[in-house]
């Protein structure tokens, strides 16, 4: 498996150009995309994305994610 990270270094974190906020949208274990909120700063968005991923994947969560801020 190849891991892919966007320009923020974390899967599921995107810049919304119209609202000028960072958005967290992730695919759950059933393959359904879910919206988890919009944030003023990237740090809060990344923290939310990592926590949601940890909850979704449980014991299979990879805690060695390389996040660049």
């Amino acid at each position: 498996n190849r891991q892919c990270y966007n320009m923020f270094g974390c899967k599921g974190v995107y810049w919304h150009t119209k609202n000028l906020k960072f958005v967290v949208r992730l695919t759950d274990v059933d393959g359904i995309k879910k919206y988890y909120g919009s944030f003023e700063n990237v740090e809060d968005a990344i923290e939310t994305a990592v926590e949601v991923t940890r909850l979704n994947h449980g014991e299979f969560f990879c805690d060695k994610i390389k996040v660049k801020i």
Side-chain angles (χ1 to χ4, degrees):
N1 286 338
R2 192 183 99 194
Q3 289 188 344
C4 178
Y5 298 99
N6 61 17
M7 65 187 285
F8 303 111
C10 186
K11 286 183 179 181
V13 177
Y14 305 94
W15 176 250
H16 193 285
T17 55
K18 187 174 181 180
N19 295 338
L20 302 176
K21 291 187 178 184
F22 297 95
V23 173
V24 177
R25 193 179 80 181
L26 294 163
T27 305
D28 68 9
V29 292
D30 297 322
I32 299 170
K33 291 184 181 180
K34 293 186 178 180
Y35 171 79
Y36 291 97
S38 57
F39 302 87
E40 296 288 330
N41 61 58
V42 70
E43 292 86 3
D44 291 341
I46 289 173
E47 182 180 327
T48 299
V50 170
E51 188 59 32
V52 167
T53 304
R54 181 182 328 246
L55 291 172
N56 284 342
H57 295 283
E59 67 180 282
F60 301 105
F61 173 73
C62 177
D63 61 353
K64 295 181 170 98
I65 293 177
K66 296 177 183 172
V67 175
K68 59 180 183 179
I69 298 175

